[in-house]
Amino acid sequence: MGDPFNASSPIYLQLCERIKNKMVRGEIRPGDRLPSVRDFAIDSGVNPNTVQHAYRALEETGIVEKRRGQGTFVTEDREILQRMRSGLRSRHISAFVQEMSAMGCSEAEMLEGIRQFFKTKGEQL
Amino acid sequence: MIQLENVSKRYLTKKALNAVSLQIEPGHIIGLIGSNGSGKSTTLKLIAGLIQPTAGTVLVDGRIATRRICDKVAYLSELDSYYSFFTVNQMVDFYAQTFRDFDRKKAKNMLDFMKLNGTQKVKHLSKGNRGRLKIVVTLSRNVPFVLMDEPLSGLDPIVRRSIVKSLISFIDLGKQTVILTTHELQEIEPLLDQVILIKNGGILAQENVDDLRSRENLSLTDWMVKHYGE
């Protein structure tokens, strides 16, 4: 069974995030077929209706497309994928900056912190 | 579709359900949640036609739920009810003879999936394996409605997980609807797409789980606690 879900956000959105993250990491590539709703549901321990909902949501953004009788495929439109990637990146950055600001860090401190981080721990990533 | 219209149920002097009206659409896995004694088991038994309402009507696909509704409804009791001298295979045979819709092939697949040994006597099974066997015989019926009263209670996390997985694998939501009661909310939450919250014999809310999460920012457990006001 898959990883646990966090409590507050809808499960279908968390499924979308997981799929997008896999795309960004290259585990799912443009033109790949996504697992069937049923297989994905069994794999992640989730209601098949919820998986369906997630696939539909991804389809609406154009990231995946449904082909009749064949399944759901990742788009081969690089532009859409690029947009998704930069969207994901700016979301993570803004979450990071918000957290750091809440701790009272200035921009310079953040940048310095990141530089420091890569110097010491960067190679482990 | 399942409809309860103004249903009350009284056991002697104790009121178990109080003028409940409810509609359950097919194709979902629905959690019936609430504290002990809130009326969950009574609701399931009414839908299964095992007990009759004191007032009001219970309809399953338009038919009044009497004992004969069992051709549409599979019911898993929270009690252990079987002949303990049976072997696992004999229990499957017994169900196959009792219910015309019983799918032997599915039962065989599920026994393998659950790693149950067909020649073992039911009374020699561990509690976890008895829990699994109950699931096997219930889910092997090709019926539109599957009711499960506390399918996970008293079982260890590994057994609970295998049961959750088997539910997803062996239920066909295109044709089937599942209603289950549970206190193991955290584990079962990803499996549910709807919840019905019940308290003191009345329905507090009926919700789509993901809508609930996006609107209230709460997990099911927190939502239930909030409604129970504790």
Side-chain angles (χ1 to χ4, degrees):
Chain A
M1 199 121 65
D3 303 324
F5 295 90
N6 72 44
S8 52
S9 95
I11 290 172
Y12 87 92
L13 280 182
Q14 295 184 50
L15 290 177
C16 289
E17 287 305 303
R18 284 184 191 182
I19 295 170
K20 285 188 200 164
N21 283 332
K22 280 194 172 174
M23 288 178 191
V24 170
R25 287 198 302 263
E27 288 168 38
I28 307 177
R29 312 188 65 81
D32 277 1
R33 199 173 79 117
L34 294 182
S36 73
V37 167
R38 194 184 174 77
D39 287 347
F40 194 74
I42 294 170
D43 238 34
S44 43
V46 170
N47 189 308
N49 291 333
T50 311
V51 176
Q52 191 96 54
H53 191 180
Y55 278 16
R56 222 182 308 127
L58 288 175
E59 211 184 318
E60 276 163 21
T61 60
I63 295 172
V64 303
E65 51 199 34
K66 207 167 180 174
R67 294 184 204 151
R68 195 174 276 272
Q70 293 182 64
T72 304
F73 293 80
V74 180
T75 180
E76 296 185 55
D77 186 337
R78 307 260 162 191
E79 201 182 311
I80 292 179
L81 291 172
Q82 197 52 46
R83 222 183 302 141
M84 176 196 83
R85 194 161 188 272
S86 54
L88 214 56
R89 190 182 56 186
S90 57
R91 200 136 36 86
H92 279 291
I93 291 175
S94 94
F96 169 80
V97 171
Q98 261 172 29
E99 290 267 317
M100 295 299 273
S101 307
M103 278 165 52
C105 282
S106 69
E107 184 185 335
E109 280 174 314
M110 286 181 217
L111 290 174
E112 178 50 31
I114 291 174
R115 236 174 261 127
Q116 205 59 42
F117 179 85
F118 275 103
K119 231 179 259 170
T120 54
K121 300 198 185 94
E123 61 267 24
Q124 293 167 19
L125 293 178
Chain B
M1 185 162 65
I2 295 173
Q3 290 159 289
L4 275 70
E5 288 162 6
N6 261 317
V7 171
S8 297
K9 178 66 186 176
R10 199 193 296 267
Y11 297 112
L12 295 177
T13 58
K14 191 185 167 294
K15 247 190 180 159
L17 281 187
N18 197 0
V20 164
S21 292
L22 191 63
Q23 254 194 42
I24 297 171
E25 302 288 335
H28 298 284
I29 303 179
I30 299 129
L32 189 57
I33 64 177
S35 63
N36 289 322
S38 53
K40 304 189 296 289
S41 298
T42 299
T43 307
L44 286 193
K45 284 180 192 159
L46 283 165
I47 298 169
L50 297 172
I51 53 176
Q52 289 302 310
T54 315
T57 42
V58 180
L59 297 172
V60 176
D61 281 348
R63 266 168 58 196
I64 289 188
T66 64
R67 285 256 168 190
R68 306 189 61 174
I69 209 70
C70 70
D71 63 351
K72 281 194 175 285
V73 180
Y75 171 79
L76 179 142
S77 162
E78 63 181 323
L79 305 173
D80 277 348
S81 50
Y82 42 68
Y83 298 112
S84 60
F85 51 84
F86 272 175
T87 64
V88 169
N89 282 336
Q90 283 169 331
M91 176 128 159
V92 169
D93 288 341
F94 176 76
Y95 267 79
Q97 283 156 17
T98 310
F99 298 106
R100 247 189 296 171
D101 51 50
F102 195 88
D103 184 340
R104 275 179 183 277
K105 216 173 126 196
K106 197 165 165 189
K108 172 82 181 61
N109 285 342
M110 285 188 76
L111 287 178
D112 292 346
F113 179 90
M114 299 281 205
K115 299 193 177 67
L116 287 170
N117 176 353
T119 58
Q120 222 176 0
K121 280 222 163 80
V122 173
K123 65 179 167 195
H124 295 151
L125 292 178
S126 66
K127 188 170 179 189
N129 279 341
R130 282 204 304 271
R132 288 184 169 115
L133 179 58
K134 274 164 66 177
I135 302 279
V136 170
V137 291
T138 310
L139 291 191
S140 296
R141 292 189 54 201
N142 288 323
V143 280
F145 299 99
V146 178
L147 314 181
M148 305 179 128
D149 202 356
E150 292 290 344
L152 304 178
S153 84
L155 303 175
D156 71 51
I158 296 161
V159 179
R160 293 207 295 268
R161 207 166 271 209
S162 75
I163 288 176
V164 167
K165 215 156 200 182
S166 72
L167 273 167
I168 305 171
S169 319
F170 292 100
I171 293 273
D172 179 358
L173 286 180
K175 295 183 189 134
Q176 294 183 297
T177 304
V178 182
I179 308 174
L180 53 88
T181 68
T182 187
H183 294 291
E184 260 75 27
L185 274 185
Q186 236 165 347
E187 231 145 344
I188 212 92
E189 181 166 1
L191 184 67
L192 303 176
D193 52 356
Q194 280 188 20
V195 278
I196 296 169
L197 183 63
I198 184 167
K199 182 183 180 183
N200 296 333
I203 305 292
L204 283 187
Q206 181 174 14
E207 293 271 3
N208 175 297
V209 176
D210 265 351
D211 290 351
L212 190 75
R213 280 167 163 256
S214 36
R215 199 184 59 232
E216 309 247 347
N217 272 321
L218 290 174
S219 71
L220 271 188
T221 316
D222 297 334
W223 178 70
M224 179 177 157
V225 169
K226 182 181 148 192
H227 265 288
Y228 262 76
E230 280 156 0

